[in-house]
Amino acid sequence: MNKEQIKVEFARVILNAKIIAAFFFITLAPTLVVTLKELDGLFGIDKQQLFNASIAGFIIYMGYVLFYWKCPSCKKFPGRGWFRKECDNCGCELS
């Protein structure tokens, strides 16, 4: 892979991570509202179902980070953060 292909591939990895993180936060927000306002449910969904949805969103995000958040060059975890400039393992420029 050349440098431009690596950057494009890593940009796709980051975009997917952001989409999955948005899904997690969308499932987490109603859970927080129900918990902080001490409600029994929201929009006809009870507190336990909202909590289960937020846990599922978290598991999906963590699964993505563990299995798909990889440097396109060395195929290893490049380090934390959406704004990575280079891979911690191989030093390849990512953005």
Side-chain angles (χ1 to χ4, degrees):
M1 283 185 148
N2 65 28
K3 288 183 179 184
E4 287 305 314
Q5 289 173 326
I6 290 171
K7 288 180 182 182
V8 167
E9 182 64 29
F10 192 69
R12 190 174 346 181
V13 169
I14 295 300
L15 176 63
N16 290 339
K18 288 178 181 180
I19 291 169
I20 293 170
F23 172 75
F24 167 56
F25 287 116
I26 288 169
T27 59
L28 180 64
T31 304
L32 291 175
V33 168
V34 167
T35 302
L36 294 175
K37 294 287 186 176
E38 298 177 3
L39 301 172
D40 292 331
L42 192 65
F43 304 123
I45 304 170
D46 71 4
K47 191 175 192 175
Q48 187 61 45
Q49 289 175 326
L50 292 170
F51 179 74
N52 291 343
S54 63
I55 293 296
F58 177 75
I59 290 171
I60 291 168
Y61 181 74
M62 291 310 298
Y64 183 82
V65 169
L66 290 173
F67 296 110
Y68 295 105
W69 191 305
K70 299 189 183 320
C71 169
S73 180
C74 68
K75 305 296 185 208
K76 294 182 181 177
F77 183 71
R80 293 183 358 194
W82 290 349
F83 305 106
R84 297 222 49 84
K85 297 290 182 195
E86 62 183 36
C87 177
D88 286 346
N89 294 302
C90 67
C92 179
E93 189 176 340
L94 298 172
S95 60

